């Protein structure tokens, strides 16, 4: 047996999908010592387990996750978004993987996709998937490669997305943030509460790159992070945390937030920790190529507000960097 806390961040508005996740928690072969639900002040839960501990915090993906981690009492934490489903042995399998491989943090795959890093390139070879991977590579957001390369590591970490590198040991520097199992002392040592800048943008408060910041800080502290090959979850994708009234607003918010947060992340956690030519070129690659790509695909006049928002995101990032 092991002692673990489940930590959930929510706005209380994912409805049936949240209830489905609560049902999955109740069915765990090894029940948690506690369930902590973090919800913003003024919000309410539609469904409850009846025995969870509700913690109120400021609204924000970073603020809520940081509050939950700080409050947790277990030796291990299963940290969840509010729209997941998973099998009864989920927590047990994650713990077993962590112990067997000597890890500090285990990541699970959503929907069981691309579980084997050694053949990730061969999966989902439709034209759309190929185009998507070319786009991610060009903009520096993700590289699907098993090649050991500081260049790939730098650009992919700057992009903040899952990478397939160092396949011999399966370790990674970043990953998806919807679900992870971690030693509590390692999670608390990240001091995620110091990263509220991620949700303080002037156009959008959506905290893009919260996952990249958390995992990369853990990596810099010597944390060992890897995906499990034995279990996965279903992401029901309620998308409750990033509502937008229309497609243009959603695009505008996304481009602004990625430009701002990605640039600040690169400066604070990559460049400031190691000023190497690889890290400089990796940052330039991501910033320049992301801007070029999005200007090219948003040239229609009705999309210019998205380009303007992206440029504002870069401007605010560099203003913050110069102020340091």
């Amino acid at each position: 047996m092991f002692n673990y806390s489940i930590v959930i961040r929510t706005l209380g508005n994912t409805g049936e999908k949240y209830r489905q996740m609560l049902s999955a928690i109740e069915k765990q072969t090894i029940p948690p010592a506690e369930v902590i639900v973090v919800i913003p002040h003024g919000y309410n839960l539609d469904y409850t387990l009846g025995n969870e501990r509700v913690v109120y915090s400021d609204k924000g993906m970073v603020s809520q996750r940081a509050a939950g981690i700080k409050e947790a009492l277990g030796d291990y934490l299963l940290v969840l978004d509010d729209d997941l489903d998973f099998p009864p042995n989920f927590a047990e399998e994650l713990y077993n993987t962590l112990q067997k491989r000597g890890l500090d943090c285990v990541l699970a795959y959503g929907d069981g996709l691309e579980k084997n890093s050694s053949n990730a390139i061969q999966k989902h070879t439709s034209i759309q998937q190929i185009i998507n991977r070319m786009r991610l590579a060009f903009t520096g957001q993700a590289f699907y490669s098993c090649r050991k390369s500081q260049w790939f590591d730098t650009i992919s970490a700057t992009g903040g997305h899952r990478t397939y590198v160092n396949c011999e040991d399966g370790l990674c520097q970043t990953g998806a943030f919807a679900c992870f199992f971690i030693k509590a002392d390692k999670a608390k040592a990240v001091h995620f509460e110091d990263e509220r800048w991620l949700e303080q943008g002037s156009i959008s408060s959506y905290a893009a790159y919260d996952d990249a910041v958390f995992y990369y800080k853990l990596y810099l502290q010597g944390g060992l992070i890897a995906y499990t090959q034995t279990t996965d979850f279903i992401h029901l994708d309620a998308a409750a945390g990033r509502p937008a009234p229309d497609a243009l607003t959603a695009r505008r918010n996304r481009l602004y937030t990625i430009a701002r947060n990605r640039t600040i992340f690169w400066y604070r956690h990559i460049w400031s920790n190691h000023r190497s030519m690889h890290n400089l070129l990796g940052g330039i690659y991501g910033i320049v190529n992301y801007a070029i790509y999005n200007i090219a695909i948003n040239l229609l006049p009705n999309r210019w507000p998205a380009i303007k928002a992206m440029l504002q995101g870069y401007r605010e990032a560099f203003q913050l960097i110069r102020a340091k």
Side-chain angles (χ1 to χ4, degrees):
M1 293 290 289
F2 58 97
N3 180 288
Y4 75 103
S5 301
I6 289 180
V7 178
I8 304 167
R9 64 179 178 189
T10 186
L11 297 179
N13 60 350
T14 50
E16 186 61 32
K17 295 176 180 180
Y18 183 65
R19 186 166 70 170
Q20 189 171 337
M21 188 177 75
L22 295 184
S23 177
I25 291 173
E26 289 183 305
K27 296 174 183 176
Q28 289 304 293
T29 53
I30 297 181
E34 62 176 352
V35 176
I36 296 175
V37 178
V38 184
I39 190 167
H41 299 288
Y43 285 71
N44 298 299
L45 294 172
D46 290 335
Y47 301 103
T48 66
L49 287 167
N51 60 349
E52 62 264 77
R53 180 153 60 101
V54 179
V55 173
Y56 291 93
S57 77
D58 293 336
K59 181 183 178 182
M61 298 176 72
V62 175
S63 296
Q64 289 176 244
R65 184 135 289 173
I69 290 172
K70 182 178 180 180
E71 288 285 333
L73 301 176
D75 297 327
Y76 302 89
L77 309 180
L78 176 55
V79 184
L80 305 170
D81 280 354
D82 61 356
D83 55 357
L84 313 179
D85 194 13
F86 37 82
N89 64 343
F90 190 61
E92 184 176 4
E93 287 291 334
L94 293 175
Y95 172 79
N96 289 340
T97 298
L98 184 141
Q99 293 298 314
K100 182 178 180 180
R101 299 181 59 184
L103 300 171
D104 298 299
C105 180
V106 177
L107 311 179
Y109 287 96
D111 303 315
L113 297 180
E114 299 180 329
K115 292 175 62 176
N116 188 345
S117 61
S118 65
N119 67 0
I121 295 293
Q122 281 72 46
K123 288 180 176 279
H124 309 294
T125 55
S126 68
I127 296 299
Q128 185 58 46
Q129 287 290 338
I130 292 172
I131 292 173
N132 188 52
R133 291 185 177 189
M134 291 175 64
R135 175 183 63 82
L136 291 174
F138 177 77
T139 58
Q141 293 179 275
F143 283 88
Y144 292 81
S145 173
C146 286
R147 178 185 172 190
K148 277 195 171 183
S149 165
Q150 184 181 355
W151 174 245
F152 278 169
D153 284 0
T154 297
I155 297 176
S156 297
T158 306
H161 286 263
R162 184 184 312 165
T163 77
Y164 297 97
V165 295
N166 303 336
C167 289
E168 291 83 354
D169 52 25
L171 297 177
C172 56
Q173 298 172 356
T174 188
F177 214 31
C179 171
F180 59 96
F181 188 87
I182 187 171
K183 294 178 180 177
D185 59 339
K186 295 292 185 179
K188 294 177 189 294
V190 169
H191 292 293
F192 202 42
E193 64 274 7
D194 295 339
E195 310 301 330
R196 290 193 175 95
W197 59 269
L198 284 158
E199 58 191 22
Q200 294 172 348
S202 63
I203 290 180
S204 172
S205 61
Y206 176 62
Y209 291 89
D210 52 344
D211 47 3
V213 169
F214 184 91
Y215 291 130
Y216 202 70
K217 286 184 74 174
L218 178 62
Y219 160 77
L220 290 175
Q221 294 172 4
L224 300 180
I225 313 162
Y227 275 90
T228 176
Q229 302 291 322
T230 60
T231 190
D232 45 58
F233 63 89
I234 298 173
H235 193 178
L236 304 173
D237 198 16
R242 51 183 188 275
D246 53 70
L248 178 60
T249 301
R251 180 184 296 267
R252 181 172 173 264
N253 291 348
R254 183 175 69 254
L255 266 61
Y256 162 80
T257 306
I258 291 176
R260 175 187 182 273
N261 289 4
R262 180 181 180 183
T263 305
I264 298 171
F265 163 57
W266 167 80
Y267 178 78
R268 285 192 173 188
H269 298 295
I270 297 180
W271 177 247
S272 294
N273 280 288
H274 184 52
R275 300 196 174 200
S276 69
M277 184 58 67
H278 274 107
N279 286 347
L280 177 61
L281 293 177
I284 293 173
Y285 182 102
I287 291 169
V288 172
N289 283 22
Y290 186 79
I292 290 173
Y293 173 82
N294 283 292
I295 289 173
I297 67 170
N298 291 288
L299 284 177
L300 294 176
N302 62 343
R303 290 188 177 184
W304 287 356
I307 297 177
K308 183 178 179 181
M310 179 185 67
L311 296 178
Q312 182 173 338
Y314 281 126
R315 182 168 59 252
E316 290 182 13
F318 287 117
Q319 287 173 346
L320 190 149
I321 288 171
R322 285 197 300 269
K324 293 296 181 181

